[in-house]
Amino acid sequence: MSIQTRRERERAERERLIVTAARELAETEGWDAVTTRRLAAEIEYSQPVLYSHFKGKDAIMAAVAVEGCAELATELRTARTKATTPKDALAAVGRAYTAFAQRRPALYDAMFTHHVDLPFATPEAPAPLKEAFGELFQAVEPIAAEDDDPALLTETYWAAVHGLATLMRSGRLPEESHETRLALLINHFTTAP
């Protein structure tokens, strides 16, 4: 193994360590607790080492968001491909999406609540962002009417499930009515003229 290859591997391992530490700290104490000073102490590297990998907390949060989108895409794909009908796929994706938001609140916040410097909905968007949206699209597109724009319909569905997840997480909507709300959403999407 060349010295260059070893250095690249070590750099990637340090980046992985920084992102993992940030995620763990955010999940246990919230994003306010994630500072470069705190991360440096957690991973036992100096702050300049962190800055050699990321410009600051926002860049770390963006890396966390990209990683989270990859995980979300996998979970949505699993839910969608297990369904037997388009309506079931739409419901399964909605359940998987909201369950992800409930199970990983700090990760979800990095992905969709906090401002991060990522180009969403553009050709420059990182592949994991496109994949997560693509899984939503794959669930919505089969139920789109002939005159619907499937991408806009997907954005509307995403906004609806995001709203449900966010309002439920904040305690503004009771969790026990989630399945009923989701069924209303799915029924409207699949029976709208």
Side-chain angles (χ1 to χ4, degrees):
M1 173 185 310
S2 73
I3 292 173
Q4 181 66 25
T5 302
R6 181 180 52 83
R7 285 184 180 155
E8 289 171 4
R9 188 186 75 236
E10 289 170 353
R11 181 171 177 77
E13 288 171 4
R14 276 192 309 272
E15 284 184 12
R16 174 90 240 114
L17 184 63
I18 294 166
V19 170
T20 299
R23 283 182 67 163
E24 290 171 359
L25 188 55
E27 288 296 349
T28 57
E29 298 182 36
W31 280 106
D32 287 342
V34 179
T35 63
T36 54
R37 177 173 290 168
R38 181 84 184 270
L39 284 174
E42 291 284 326
I43 65 169
E44 300 177 348
Y45 281 100
S46 67
Q47 282 183 283
V49 170
L50 262 73
Y51 285 115
S52 74
H53 291 274
F54 298 100
K55 290 181 181 177
K57 178 180 173 178
D58 292 344
I60 294 167
M61 196 180 297
V64 168
V66 169
E67 188 175 90
C69 284
E71 293 171 20
L72 178 61
T74 298
E75 291 188 26
L76 296 180
R77 184 177 310 109
T78 298
R80 181 181 58 77
T81 57
K82 286 182 180 178
T84 57
T85 68
K87 184 175 180 177
D88 290 345
L90 198 61
V93 164
R95 274 189 219 92
Y97 186 96
T98 54
F100 183 94
Q102 289 287 95
R103 205 171 55 256
R104 297 176 173 158
L107 178 58
Y108 187 83
D109 286 345
M111 294 162 59
F112 301 123
T113 305
H114 293 299
H115 174 75
V116 292
D117 190 22
L118 287 173
F120 283 86
T122 66
E124 296 80 28
L129 277 64
K130 293 177 184 179
E131 291 166 16
F133 184 80
E135 288 305 320
L136 292 169
F137 183 88
Q138 291 292 321
V140 171
E141 199 257 343
I143 61 99
E146 190 174 304
D147 59 340
D148 284 339
D149 178 334
L152 289 177
L153 190 60
T154 301
E155 290 173 355
T156 303
Y157 176 73
W158 178 22
V161 294
H162 170 74
L164 289 174
T166 302
L167 291 169
M168 209 168 39
R169 280 185 49 218
S170 68
R172 287 166 176 82
L173 290 177
E175 194 171 333
E176 61 270 8
S177 300
H178 176 62
E179 281 297 320
T180 303
R181 279 188 221 95
L182 191 57
L184 288 169
L185 176 65
I186 302 308
N187 285 336
H188 180 72
F189 261 77
T190 57
T191 60

